[in-house]
Amino acid sequence: MITIQDLHFHYKKGRPLFEGLNLELEAGHVYGLMGKNGAGKSSLLKQIAGLLFPKSGVCTVMGYESRLRQPAFLSKLFLVPEEFYLPQVTINRYVNTYAPFYPNFDTKAFQQYLDEFQIPRDQRLTDMSYGQKKKVIISFGLAANTKCLIMDEPTNGLDIPSKSQFRKVIAAAVNEEKCIVISTHQVRDLDNLIDSIVVIDNHKIIFKQDVETVAERLSFRSVKRLEEADLVLFAESTGLGHSIITENAGGVPGRLDMELLFNAVLEPSGRINQLF
Amino acid sequence: MQTSNVFHAPRFGAYFKKHIVDNLRLYLMSLVVLVGVLVAIGVISILTNNRETVRVSFIYPFYAILLFGAGLIFTGFSFIQLGDKPKGIDYLLLPASHFEKFLTTLLITTAGFLLVYHIAFGTATFIGAGLVSLSRDTHVMDPSMPDDFRNDMTQLYHWWFMGQAIILLGSVYFPKYSIIKTLFAVFIFILVIGLVNAAFMNILFYGHLMHWAASAPFFGVGITEHPHMEEYRSIFLESPHWMRETLYFMWRFILPPVLWVLAYFRLKDKEI
C-alpha cells in the first residue's frame, strides 16, 4: 500500500533527515511509527501524504506518487496532523462541506465515533477545547473510510479516559483493506493498539516487525536483581529493580513492553535488531 | 468511471461551495466595510467640495483608487492559509485538484471581486448621492460621461488585471505579508531591469548619452548628436513602433495569464 524507495530528504543542505530510507507498509495493519524527537516521524508522514517532496527517491501510496497530490489519491488518504485546523463552523456544516470529497464517508459511523467520544453534534467547533476538536477530526478521519489513515501524535491533548476511547475506536475501524499509521513519542499509548512496530532513527528505518513476532521471540519482565536472569539482551534500572528483555525460549507470546523495546532498539549495540 | 485528476465539475462545485462557506463571514464583513468606507468618502467629499452637481469625472478617481486598493489587498490574502501550517495542510490535502483550488481563487479574486466591488460602489454612490440630495433637496448626480471615459476605463482594467496577477503570484510565493513583500520584489525587479538597461545603453552609446540614466527600458534612449560642436541637439531615439505595440499588447493580454500560470505551478510545488 505504501512504498518508499531510497528516500533522501533534508530541510537544510548538509543536514540530511532521511538517507536512502526504504519502507513497505501493507493494508490490514495498524503501524506504530516511533522515534526520538527530531528523528523525522512527522516528516515521514508528510512525505507519505505528499506535503513534502523527496529530494531523491520515490514515495507511492496505492500506486499514486504522493508528491503529485492528485484528488484520486487524496480522497483515499486522510491525515490527522499534530497541529490541525478546523473552520469556525458547526460539526454539521463541517461534515456537509468536507464529506463530499470522501466518496466512502460513513455518516452513521461518524455519529457513532462522536458518541463514543461524547461530543455533542450541534456544538460549534470554535467553542470546543483542543481535546474535543482532536476527537472530532479523529472521528472524521475514521468515518472518511479512506484506505490509508495517518495520525501524527493523535493522543497528544487527550485525557486518560479519551486515550482508552481512542484505542477502542481505532480497534473498531481496522479492516483488511485499511492501512493505519500512527506516529507517537508516547509509546505506552500504542499498547494493545498497534500490530506492527516501525522505528526510525539515524536517517533510516532501523526496526520493523509485527508485534506477534516480537512477543514470540522476546520476553519482557521485571527482576529485582540482574543476576536472577540469564542472557539479558537489554536491561533498564527502575526504582524497584530492573526491567529486562531476554530471548523468549518457549516461543509462547507474552506481554510486550513497548517502551522497553523502543529503548532497546535504539541501543547502539543493535543486539535486538540482530535477532530479527 | 475514473474522474479527472485535473478538473471534475461536481468536485469543483463542492470545493467552490466549501471555500465560500469557510470565508462567508469574512467576505460579508469586508463588503459592509467597503460600502461604509465608500459612502463616507463620497458624502464627505461631495459636501466639502460644495458642488451643485457631481460628475462621473469627480467620482472616477475614488472608483479607481479603491478598485486598486481593495482589489489588490483582497488578492494579497489569496493564499494566506499556506503561511499557517495547520491551515496549509487542510488546504493542500483536501481532495480537489490544484487546478480547481487555483481556479476558485482566481475566479473569486477577479470576477467575484469585480462583481462585488461594482455592487458595493453602485450601492454606495446611490446611498451617498441620495443622502446629499435629501439634505440639499435637489438632484446632485450628473450622469453624462466624458468623451474619453471608455478608453480610460479600458486602460484602468488592463492595469488592474496586471496588478492582480502580480499580487496573486506574490501571494503564492509569500503567503505572509504578501503585499509588502511582493511590492518590494517588484521594486527590486524594476531596479535590476533599469540598471541592466542603463549598463547596456552606456556600452552601446558610449559618449553619446545625454545622461548615464537617460534611457527607458524597451522604449528608447536619449542621446546627443555631435557632442563636440558648440550647438548640439539632443534627441530621443524611440524603439520601433511595432516593438512598442507588441510589448504593450503583451503587457495587457499575455503577461497577466502568464503570471497566473506561474502562480498555479508554484502552488503545485508548494510544500509544508
Side-chain angles (χ1 to χ4, degrees):
Chain A
M1 164 132 339
I2 298 173
T3 307
I4 300 174
Q5 287 173 327
D6 198 26
L7 175 71
H8 288 76
F9 179 75
H10 60 256
Y11 286 104
K12 284 183 182 171
K13 275 192 176 174
R15 293 177 64 183
L17 189 60
F18 306 132
E19 278 185 316
L21 186 145
N22 292 292
L23 182 64
E24 186 89 30
L25 303 179
E26 301 295 334
H29 293 279
V30 183
Y31 292 94
L33 178 63
M34 302 190 282
K36 290 187 284 192
N37 290 336
K41 300 184 295 292
S42 298
S43 298
L44 186 62
L45 296 186
K46 284 183 176 181
Q47 290 280 349
I48 294 169
L51 291 168
L52 290 173
F53 304 160
K55 299 296 175 195
S56 69
V58 188
C59 177
T60 56
V61 180
M62 294 166 278
Y64 297 99
E65 199 178 338
S66 52
R67 70 188 301 278
L68 300 175
R69 293 193 293 251
Q70 292 169 308
F73 156 70
L74 295 175
S75 65
K76 294 183 182 80
L77 174 139
F78 195 90
L79 169 71
V80 178
E82 188 179 5
E83 294 171 63
F84 56 88
Y85 162 76
L86 289 173
Q88 299 181 8
V89 292
T90 59
I91 295 177
N92 283 333
R93 183 161 282 182
Y94 178 73
V95 171
N96 288 341
T97 49
Y98 279 72
F101 295 98
Y102 298 95
N104 299 322
F105 188 85
D106 186 339
T107 310
K108 208 172 147 189
F110 179 63
Q111 186 58 54
Q112 283 169 356
Y113 296 133
L114 288 183
D115 291 343
E116 183 65 45
F117 282 128
Q118 294 163 351
I119 301 286
R121 179 91 185 232
D122 54 354
Q123 203 171 339
R124 280 184 78 85
L125 292 166
T126 38
D127 299 336
M128 292 181 177
S129 67
Y130 174 79
Q132 285 179 306
K133 284 184 194 172
K134 191 138 209 177
K135 290 173 190 176
V136 171
I137 197 165
I138 289 169
S139 301
F140 188 91
L142 289 166
N145 260 322
T146 52
K147 287 190 176 173
C148 185
L149 177 62
I150 303 169
M151 301 193 195
D152 191 7
E153 307 284 356
T155 52
N156 271 6
L158 296 186
D159 54 24
I160 294 166
S162 302
K163 286 182 181 180
S164 311
Q165 291 164 342
F166 171 74
R167 272 195 283 268
K168 204 172 157 186
V169 294
I170 294 288
V174 177
N175 63 44
E176 284 304 305
E177 292 184 344
K178 209 176 253 188
C179 174
I180 301 177
V181 186
I182 302 170
S183 105
T184 186
H185 61 269
Q186 299 174 32
V187 288
R188 286 194 192 280
D189 290 348
L190 300 181
D191 275 341
N192 303 320
L193 176 65
I194 59 168
D195 59 30
S196 296
I197 302 161
V198 180
V199 181
I200 182 170
D201 193 51
N202 203 21
H203 322 303
K204 283 184 171 69
I205 301 296
I206 59 165
F207 187 83
K208 180 178 171 264
Q209 282 299 326
D210 58 279
V211 168
E212 209 176 296
T213 309
V214 174
E216 274 172 12
R217 294 195 192 169
L218 299 176
S219 173
F220 299 79
R221 59 198 168 103
S222 297
V223 291
K224 288 209 170 169
R225 291 185 300 122
L226 274 178
E227 296 76 40
E228 289 174 20
D230 293 329
L231 297 167
V232 175
L233 295 167
F234 181 77
E236 228 176 39
S237 295
T238 61
L240 299 170
H242 302 274
S243 294
I244 60 164
I245 302 176
T246 57
E247 278 197 59
N248 188 355
V252 180
R255 180 184 65 89
L256 191 151
D257 184 333
M258 204 78 81
E259 195 170 307
L260 195 60
L261 174 72
F262 176 65
N263 290 334
V265 166
L266 290 181
E267 202 193 32
S269 70
R271 276 201 289 179
I272 296 291
N273 298 14
Q274 285 159 15
L275 287 174
F276 294 93
Chain B
M1 194 181 76
Q2 190 86 23
T3 55
S4 167
N5 273 317
V6 179
F7 187 81
H8 180 58
R11 193 176 58 216
F12 172 67
Y15 181 76
F16 197 88
K17 182 186 157 196
K18 181 212 165 286
H19 183 94
I20 296 292
V21 167
D22 282 359
N23 297 287
L24 188 62
R25 192 188 292 183
L26 178 72
Y27 290 167
L28 288 177
M29 282 196 308
S30 307
L31 179 63
V32 170
V33 170
L34 184 63
V35 173
V37 168
L38 288 167
V39 169
I41 291 174
V43 170
I44 291 166
S45 56
I46 293 169
L47 291 176
T48 51
N49 267 282
N50 209 18
R51 289 162 187 267
E52 283 188 6
T53 56
V54 178
R55 288 172 178 277
V56 170
S57 56
F58 175 73
I59 296 174
Y60 181 76
F62 294 105
Y63 170 85
I65 291 167
L66 283 161
L67 178 75
F68 271 82
L72 301 190
I73 289 171
F74 182 64
T75 304
F77 287 104
S78 293
F79 296 104
I80 195 169
Q81 66 271 40
L82 295 174
D84 178 274
K85 208 181 275 185
K87 286 183 180 174
I89 291 172
D90 179 77
Y91 177 77
L92 292 176
L93 292 190
L94 194 87
S97 70
H98 293 110
F99 181 70
E100 288 154 354
K101 291 172 186 173
F102 182 78
L103 186 62
T104 299
T105 303
L106 186 63
L107 285 175
I108 285 172
T109 55
T110 52
F113 172 79
L114 289 174
L115 178 72
V116 171
Y117 180 76
H118 285 95
I119 291 170
F121 198 85
T123 309
T125 309
F126 181 76
I127 294 170
L131 287 173
V132 178
S133 298
L134 282 173
S135 70
R136 291 182 185 170
D137 208 17
T138 177
H139 190 68
V140 293
M141 286 301 291
D142 179 357
S144 59
M145 301 277 184
D147 294 339
D148 55 353
F149 187 68
R150 181 183 289 272
N151 185 43
D152 287 350
M153 290 298 281
T154 311
Q155 293 284 339
L156 181 75
Y157 285 122
H158 285 314
W159 280 96
W160 188 84
F161 273 101
M162 192 64 225
Q164 190 274 346
I166 291 170
I167 297 289
L168 190 73
L169 177 64
S171 73
V172 189
Y173 273 93
F174 318 112
K176 283 182 182 169
Y177 310 111
S178 64
I179 296 175
I180 293 168
K181 288 178 180 173
T182 307
L183 292 179
F184 183 71
V186 169
F187 169 73
I188 296 292
F189 182 74
I190 292 171
L191 190 70
V192 169
I193 293 270
L195 288 175
V196 169
N197 179 73
F200 270 102
M201 292 302 120
N202 276 278
I203 294 165
L204 289 171
F205 298 98
Y206 181 73
H208 294 274
L209 277 179
M210 280 164 59
H211 180 262
W212 72 271
S215 59
F218 312 116
F219 284 95
V221 55
I223 59 166
T224 55
E225 280 191 336
H226 309 295
H228 301 300
M229 290 167 67
E230 267 186 27
E231 282 186 10
Y232 63 87
R233 61 194 184 105
S234 58
I235 53 168
F236 189 76
L237 280 182
E238 284 187 341
S239 51
H241 182 72
W242 65 265
M243 188 178 147
R244 276 181 285 133
E245 283 299 308
T246 309
L247 286 171
Y248 188 48
F249 177 84
M250 285 175 68
W251 167 260
R252 285 181 299 168
F253 300 108
I254 307 292
L255 209 48
V258 166
L259 294 179
W260 291 336
V261 171
L262 284 177
Y264 165 68
F265 281 107
R266 177 64 189 155
L267 179 66
K268 274 184 86 169
D269 286 340
K270 203 77 189 172
E271 292 179 79
I272 283 185

